[in-house]
Amino acid sequence: MNEFDYENKVKVLEEENDKLKGLIKDYEKEIKEIKEALDSTNKLLEEYNTFAKEEINAYSDFVQGFVERKYIDPSTRVYSREFFDKIFFLLLEKAFESGNNYGLLLIKIPELKELKYEGEYHKGPEMEIGRILRRNVRLPLDLIMRYSKSQFAVIIPDIDEETLFKVLDRIKYQLKNFVKSPETLEIYSFYLPKDLTTTKEILKYFD
């Protein structure tokens, strides 16, 4: 083997070595990218599992609320304040976001503040007021909630404005003919999202 052949072989080996180094570098880069992708996927799975667990727990707590009957106001048989706190503003925010038409009635009956609860099966004024509200809406599509002892909220989805006014008139007429002090009765009607655009605007109507 002459010196020229030796130098050529050395050169070829060096070129092959450089190619191998390049391939190794490419593989290392590819392995790093795969590892980063796996880490990202594992992180997303972990976040999803945490979120799913929270969703399941929230749903379980929600169902438990009905099992324990804490979401039902026993004196009127409409949804309770606990249910209101979980659902009301979330539902309205979704209504504003979607742009769907909703009717909202806020009803204040001051004389109820003085009434004492006499038991779930006592057919007193509160029970009759609950019955008046229930028979004028489409259960279970519409939601009737008791915010406080003297305040109620009614959410009516998928309703046109004219029908909302008819529902309002019926409820107002029946309540005024039932309560002892009809002059103190207050009912506020809103057609969403036309009349209100944020839940903050509603807060001022609650005591």
Short mmCIF file of all heavy atoms in Angstrom, two decimals, residues 116-158:
data_model
loop_
_atom_site.label_atom_id
_atom_site.label_comp_id
_atom_site.label_asym_id
_atom_site.label_seq_id
_atom_site.Cartn_x
_atom_site.Cartn_y
_atom_site.Cartn_z
N LYS A 116 -92.66 32.20 59.89
CA LYS A 116 -91.80 31.18 60.48
C LYS A 116 -92.09 29.84 59.80
O LYS A 116 -93.24 29.49 59.55
CB LYS A 116 -92.06 31.07 61.99
CG LYS A 116 -91.61 32.29 62.76
CD LYS A 116 -91.83 32.10 64.25
CE LYS A 116 -91.36 33.33 65.03
NZ LYS A 116 -91.58 33.17 66.49
N TYR A 117 -91.04 29.09 59.56
CA TYR A 117 -91.18 27.80 58.89
C TYR A 117 -91.87 26.83 59.85
O TYR A 117 -91.44 26.62 60.98
CB TYR A 117 -89.79 27.29 58.50
CG TYR A 117 -89.79 25.93 57.87
CD1 TYR A 117 -90.62 25.65 56.79
CD2 TYR A 117 -88.97 24.93 58.36
CE1 TYR A 117 -90.62 24.40 56.19
CE2 TYR A 117 -88.95 23.67 57.77
CZ TYR A 117 -89.77 23.41 56.70
OH TYR A 117 -89.76 22.18 56.12
N GLU A 118 -92.95 26.21 59.37
CA GLU A 118 -93.74 25.33 60.22
C GLU A 118 -93.66 23.86 59.81
O GLU A 118 -94.48 23.05 60.19
CB GLU A 118 -95.20 25.79 60.22
CG GLU A 118 -95.39 27.19 60.79
CD GLU A 118 -96.85 27.56 60.92
OE1 GLU A 118 -97.63 26.74 61.44
OE2 GLU A 118 -97.21 28.66 60.48
N GLY A 119 -92.67 23.52 59.02
CA GLY A 119 -92.52 22.12 58.63
C GLY A 119 -92.77 21.90 57.16
O GLY A 119 -93.55 22.63 56.52
N GLU A 120 -92.12 20.89 56.63
CA GLU A 120 -92.15 20.63 55.19
C GLU A 120 -93.55 20.38 54.66
O GLU A 120 -93.86 20.72 53.53
CB GLU A 120 -91.25 19.43 54.89
CG GLU A 120 -91.13 19.11 53.43
CD GLU A 120 -90.11 18.01 53.18
OE1 GLU A 120 -89.40 17.64 54.12
OE2 GLU A 120 -90.06 17.53 52.03
N TYR A 121 -94.41 19.78 55.46
CA TYR A 121 -95.74 19.40 54.96
C TYR A 121 -96.83 20.37 55.41
O TYR A 121 -98.02 20.12 55.21
CB TYR A 121 -96.07 17.97 55.42
CG TYR A 121 -95.08 16.98 54.88
CD1 TYR A 121 -94.09 16.45 55.70
CD2 TYR A 121 -95.10 16.60 53.53
CE1 TYR A 121 -93.16 15.56 55.20
CE2 TYR A 121 -94.17 15.71 53.02
CZ TYR A 121 -93.20 15.19 53.86
OH TYR A 121 -92.27 14.32 53.36
N HIS A 122 -96.42 21.48 56.00
CA HIS A 122 -97.40 22.50 56.39
C HIS A 122 -97.81 23.30 55.15
O HIS A 122 -96.99 23.91 54.49
CB HIS A 122 -96.80 23.44 57.44
CG HIS A 122 -97.71 24.56 57.82
ND1 HIS A 122 -98.81 24.36 58.63
CD2 HIS A 122 -97.69 25.88 57.50
CE1 HIS A 122 -99.42 25.52 58.80
NE2 HIS A 122 -98.77 26.46 58.13
N LYS A 123 -99.09 23.30 54.84
CA LYS A 123 -99.58 23.98 53.64
C LYS A 123 -99.89 25.44 53.95
O LYS A 123 -101.04 25.88 53.93
CB LYS A 123 -100.80 23.26 53.08
CG LYS A 123 -100.47 21.86 52.58
CD LYS A 123 -101.68 21.18 51.97
CE LYS A 123 -101.33 19.79 51.46
NZ LYS A 123 -102.47 19.09 50.84
N GLY A 124 -98.82 26.19 54.22
CA GLY A 124 -98.98 27.59 54.55
C GLY A 124 -98.73 28.48 53.34
O GLY A 124 -98.67 28.01 52.20
N PRO A 125 -98.61 29.79 53.57
CA PRO A 125 -98.41 30.75 52.48
C PRO A 125 -97.20 30.45 51.59
O PRO A 125 -97.28 30.60 50.38
CB PRO A 125 -98.24 32.09 53.22
CG PRO A 125 -98.90 31.88 54.54
CD PRO A 125 -98.68 30.45 54.89
N GLU A 126 -96.10 30.04 52.20
CA GLU A 126 -94.91 29.76 51.41
C GLU A 126 -95.14 28.63 50.42
O GLU A 126 -94.71 28.69 49.27
CB GLU A 126 -93.73 29.44 52.33
CG GLU A 126 -93.22 30.64 53.11
CD GLU A 126 -92.13 30.25 54.08
OE1 GLU A 126 -92.41 29.42 54.98
OE2 GLU A 126 -91.01 30.76 53.95
N MET A 127 -95.82 27.59 50.88
CA MET A 127 -96.09 26.45 50.01
C MET A 127 -96.98 26.86 48.84
O MET A 127 -96.78 26.43 47.70
CB MET A 127 -96.77 25.33 50.82
CG MET A 127 -96.89 24.02 50.07
SD MET A 127 -95.28 23.25 49.76
CE MET A 127 -94.87 22.67 51.42
N GLU A 128 -97.96 27.73 49.11
CA GLU A 128 -98.87 28.19 48.05
C GLU A 128 -98.13 29.08 47.05
O GLU A 128 -98.36 28.99 45.83
CB GLU A 128 -100.05 28.95 48.65
CG GLU A 128 -101.02 29.52 47.63
CD GLU A 128 -101.67 28.46 46.76
OE1 GLU A 128 -101.71 27.28 47.16
OE2 GLU A 128 -102.13 28.82 45.66
N ILE A 129 -97.22 29.92 47.54
CA ILE A 129 -96.43 30.76 46.64
C ILE A 129 -95.57 29.90 45.73
O ILE A 129 -95.46 30.15 44.53
CB ILE A 129 -95.58 31.76 47.45
CG1 ILE A 129 -96.48 32.86 48.00
CG2 ILE A 129 -94.46 32.37 46.59
CD1 ILE A 129 -95.83 33.77 49.01
N GLY A 130 -94.96 28.87 46.29
CA GLY A 130 -94.18 27.93 45.48
C GLY A 130 -95.04 27.28 44.42
O GLY A 130 -94.63 27.10 43.27
N ARG A 131 -96.27 26.93 44.79
CA ARG A 131 -97.19 26.30 43.84
C ARG A 131 -97.57 27.26 42.71
O ARG A 131 -97.65 26.87 41.55
CB ARG A 131 -98.45 25.82 44.58
CG ARG A 131 -99.36 24.92 43.74
CD ARG A 131 -100.53 24.44 44.57
NE ARG A 131 -101.46 25.53 44.82
CZ ARG A 131 -102.43 25.91 43.97
NH1 ARG A 131 -102.55 25.29 42.80
NH2 ARG A 131 -103.24 26.88 44.27
N ILE A 132 -97.83 28.52 43.06
CA ILE A 132 -98.17 29.53 42.04
C ILE A 132 -97.03 29.66 41.03
O ILE A 132 -97.27 29.70 39.81
CB ILE A 132 -98.45 30.89 42.71
CG1 ILE A 132 -99.79 30.83 43.47
CG2 ILE A 132 -98.50 32.01 41.67
CD1 ILE A 132 -100.06 32.06 44.33
N LEU A 133 -95.81 29.74 41.52
CA LEU A 133 -94.67 29.89 40.62
C LEU A 133 -94.49 28.65 39.74
O LEU A 133 -94.25 28.77 38.54
CB LEU A 133 -93.40 30.15 41.44
CG LEU A 133 -93.36 31.46 42.23
CD1 LEU A 133 -92.08 31.56 43.05
CD2 LEU A 133 -93.49 32.66 41.30
N ARG A 134 -94.63 27.47 40.34
CA ARG A 134 -94.41 26.22 39.58
C ARG A 134 -95.44 26.03 38.47
O ARG A 134 -95.10 25.57 37.38
CB ARG A 134 -94.44 25.01 40.53
CG ARG A 134 -93.23 24.92 41.45
CD ARG A 134 -93.13 23.51 42.06
NE ARG A 134 -94.37 23.11 42.71
CZ ARG A 134 -94.69 23.41 43.96
NH1 ARG A 134 -93.88 24.15 44.70
NH2 ARG A 134 -95.82 22.99 44.49
N ARG A 135 -96.69 26.38 38.75
CA ARG A 135 -97.73 26.09 37.76
C ARG A 135 -97.73 27.08 36.60
O ARG A 135 -98.45 26.89 35.62
CB ARG A 135 -99.10 26.03 38.43
CG ARG A 135 -99.68 27.37 38.81
CD ARG A 135 -100.97 27.20 39.57
NE ARG A 135 -101.57 28.48 39.91
CZ ARG A 135 -102.56 28.62 40.78
NH1 ARG A 135 -103.04 27.56 41.41
NH2 ARG A 135 -103.05 29.81 41.05
N ASN A 136 -96.94 28.13 36.69
CA ASN A 136 -96.88 29.13 35.61
C ASN A 136 -95.63 29.02 34.74
O ASN A 136 -95.41 29.86 33.88
CB ASN A 136 -96.98 30.54 36.20
CG ASN A 136 -98.40 30.90 36.55
OD1 ASN A 136 -99.24 31.11 35.67
ND2 ASN A 136 -98.69 30.96 37.84
N VAL A 137 -94.83 27.99 34.97
CA VAL A 137 -93.63 27.79 34.14
C VAL A 137 -93.61 26.35 33.62
O VAL A 137 -94.46 25.54 33.98
CB VAL A 137 -92.34 28.09 34.94
CG1 VAL A 137 -92.31 29.54 35.39
CG2 VAL A 137 -92.19 27.15 36.13
N ARG A 138 -92.61 26.07 32.79
CA ARG A 138 -92.50 24.75 32.15
C ARG A 138 -91.46 23.91 32.90
O ARG A 138 -90.28 23.93 32.58
CB ARG A 138 -92.08 24.90 30.69
CG ARG A 138 -92.94 25.84 29.87
CD ARG A 138 -92.20 26.32 28.64
NE ARG A 138 -90.99 27.05 29.01
CZ ARG A 138 -90.13 27.54 28.12
NH1 ARG A 138 -90.33 27.38 26.84
NH2 ARG A 138 -89.05 28.19 28.53
N LEU A 139 -91.91 23.18 33.88
CA LEU A 139 -91.00 22.32 34.63
C LEU A 139 -90.75 21.05 33.83
O LEU A 139 -91.66 20.52 33.20
CB LEU A 139 -91.61 21.97 35.98
CG LEU A 139 -91.89 23.17 36.91
CD1 LEU A 139 -92.56 22.68 38.19
CD2 LEU A 139 -90.62 23.94 37.24
N PRO A 140 -89.52 20.50 33.84
CA PRO A 140 -88.32 20.98 34.56
C PRO A 140 -87.44 21.92 33.72
O PRO A 140 -86.33 22.24 34.14
CB PRO A 140 -87.57 19.69 34.84
CG PRO A 140 -87.86 18.84 33.63
CD PRO A 140 -89.27 19.19 33.20
N LEU A 141 -87.92 22.36 32.55
CA LEU A 141 -87.10 23.22 31.69
C LEU A 141 -86.78 24.55 32.36
O LEU A 141 -85.64 25.02 32.34
CB LEU A 141 -87.82 23.47 30.36
CG LEU A 141 -87.13 24.41 29.37
CD1 LEU A 141 -85.79 23.83 28.93
CD2 LEU A 141 -88.02 24.67 28.16
N ASP A 142 -87.78 25.17 32.96
CA ASP A 142 -87.57 26.46 33.64
C ASP A 142 -87.15 26.21 35.09
O ASP A 142 -87.55 25.21 35.70
CB ASP A 142 -88.86 27.28 33.61
CG ASP A 142 -89.36 27.49 32.18
OD1 ASP A 142 -88.53 27.50 31.27
OD2 ASP A 142 -90.59 27.61 32.00
N LEU A 143 -86.37 27.12 35.63
CA LEU A 143 -85.84 26.94 36.98
C LEU A 143 -86.40 28.02 37.92
O LEU A 143 -86.32 29.21 37.63
CB LEU A 143 -84.31 27.04 36.98
CG LEU A 143 -83.56 26.01 36.13
CD1 LEU A 143 -82.07 26.27 36.19
CD2 LEU A 143 -83.87 24.60 36.61
N ILE A 144 -86.94 27.58 39.04
CA ILE A 144 -87.41 28.50 40.08
C ILE A 144 -86.50 28.31 41.29
O ILE A 144 -86.36 27.19 41.80
CB ILE A 144 -88.86 28.21 40.49
CG1 ILE A 144 -89.77 28.15 39.26
CG2 ILE A 144 -89.36 29.26 41.47
CD1 ILE A 144 -91.15 27.61 39.57
N MET A 145 -85.90 29.41 41.75
CA MET A 145 -84.95 29.31 42.86
C MET A 145 -85.30 30.33 43.94
O MET A 145 -85.72 31.45 43.63
CB MET A 145 -83.53 29.57 42.37
CG MET A 145 -83.02 28.48 41.42
SD MET A 145 -81.54 28.97 40.52
CE MET A 145 -82.26 29.96 39.22
N ARG A 146 -85.12 29.91 45.17
CA ARG A 146 -85.36 30.83 46.29
C ARG A 146 -84.00 31.39 46.75
O ARG A 146 -83.18 30.67 47.30
CB ARG A 146 -86.05 30.11 47.44
CG ARG A 146 -86.57 31.08 48.49
CD ARG A 146 -87.39 30.39 49.54
NE ARG A 146 -88.12 31.37 50.36
CZ ARG A 146 -88.96 31.04 51.34
NH1 ARG A 146 -89.17 29.76 51.62
NH2 ARG A 146 -89.57 31.99 52.03
N TYR A 147 -83.81 32.68 46.53
CA TYR A 147 -82.55 33.31 46.88
C TYR A 147 -82.48 33.63 48.37
O TYR A 147 -81.43 33.48 48.99
CB TYR A 147 -82.39 34.60 46.07
CG TYR A 147 -81.17 35.41 46.44
CD1 TYR A 147 -79.90 35.04 45.99
CD2 TYR A 147 -81.28 36.53 47.25
CE1 TYR A 147 -78.78 35.77 46.34
CE2 TYR A 147 -80.16 37.27 47.60
CZ TYR A 147 -78.92 36.89 47.14
OH TYR A 147 -77.81 37.60 47.50
N SER A 148 -83.57 34.07 48.94
CA SER A 148 -83.64 34.38 50.36
C SER A 148 -85.07 34.13 50.82
O SER A 148 -85.90 33.66 50.05
CB SER A 148 -83.24 35.84 50.62
OG SER A 148 -84.20 36.73 50.06
N LYS A 149 -85.35 34.46 52.07
CA LYS A 149 -86.69 34.19 52.60
C LYS A 149 -87.78 34.91 51.81
O LYS A 149 -88.89 34.41 51.66
CB LYS A 149 -86.75 34.60 54.07
CG LYS A 149 -87.98 34.09 54.79
CD LYS A 149 -87.80 34.11 56.27
CE LYS A 149 -89.03 33.63 57.00
NZ LYS A 149 -89.37 32.23 56.70
N SER A 150 -87.44 36.08 51.26
CA SER A 150 -88.46 36.87 50.57
C SER A 150 -88.20 37.07 49.08
O SER A 150 -88.95 37.77 48.42
CB SER A 150 -88.57 38.25 51.24
OG SER A 150 -87.35 38.95 51.12
N GLN A 151 -87.14 36.45 48.53
CA GLN A 151 -86.78 36.69 47.13
C GLN A 151 -86.66 35.39 46.34
O GLN A 151 -86.08 34.41 46.81
CB GLN A 151 -85.45 37.44 47.04
CG GLN A 151 -85.51 38.83 47.65
CD GLN A 151 -84.19 39.55 47.50
OE1 GLN A 151 -83.95 40.24 46.52
NE2 GLN A 151 -83.33 39.40 48.48
N PHE A 152 -87.20 35.45 45.12
CA PHE A 152 -87.16 34.30 44.22
C PHE A 152 -86.60 34.75 42.86
O PHE A 152 -86.74 35.91 42.48
CB PHE A 152 -88.57 33.72 44.01
CG PHE A 152 -89.20 33.19 45.25
CD1 PHE A 152 -89.84 34.04 46.14
CD2 PHE A 152 -89.15 31.84 45.54
CE1 PHE A 152 -90.43 33.56 47.30
CE2 PHE A 152 -89.73 31.34 46.70
CZ PHE A 152 -90.38 32.20 47.58
N ALA A 153 -86.02 33.80 42.15
CA ALA A 153 -85.55 34.05 40.79
C ALA A 153 -86.10 32.94 39.90
O ALA A 153 -86.10 31.76 40.27
CB ALA A 153 -84.01 34.06 40.74
N VAL A 154 -86.58 33.34 38.73
CA VAL A 154 -87.10 32.36 37.76
C VAL A 154 -86.33 32.55 36.45
O VAL A 154 -86.31 33.66 35.90
CB VAL A 154 -88.61 32.56 37.51
CG1 VAL A 154 -89.13 31.49 36.54
CG2 VAL A 154 -89.39 32.53 38.83
N ILE A 155 -85.71 31.49 35.97
CA ILE A 155 -84.99 31.52 34.69
C ILE A 155 -85.79 30.71 33.67
O ILE A 155 -86.10 29.54 33.91
CB ILE A 155 -83.57 30.97 34.83
CG1 ILE A 155 -82.74 31.85 35.76
CG2 ILE A 155 -82.90 30.87 33.46
CD1 ILE A 155 -81.31 31.39 35.94
N ILE A 156 -86.11 31.35 32.55
CA ILE A 156 -86.93 30.71 31.52
C ILE A 156 -86.17 30.72 30.19
O ILE A 156 -86.13 31.74 29.49
CB ILE A 156 -88.28 31.46 31.36
CG1 ILE A 156 -88.95 31.65 32.72
CG2 ILE A 156 -89.19 30.70 30.40
CD1 ILE A 156 -90.20 32.50 32.67
N PRO A 157 -85.55 29.62 29.81
CA PRO A 157 -84.81 29.57 28.55
C PRO A 157 -85.73 29.41 27.34
O PRO A 157 -86.89 28.97 27.48
CB PRO A 157 -83.91 28.35 28.72
CG PRO A 157 -84.64 27.47 29.68
CD PRO A 157 -85.42 28.38 30.59
N ASP A 158 -85.21 29.78 26.18
CA ASP A 158 -85.93 29.56 24.91
C ASP A 158 -87.35 30.12 24.95
O ASP A 158 -88.33 29.40 24.76
CB ASP A 158 -85.97 28.07 24.56
CG ASP A 158 -84.58 27.50 24.41
OD1 ASP A 158 -83.72 28.18 23.83
OD2 ASP A 158 -84.35 26.36 24.86
#
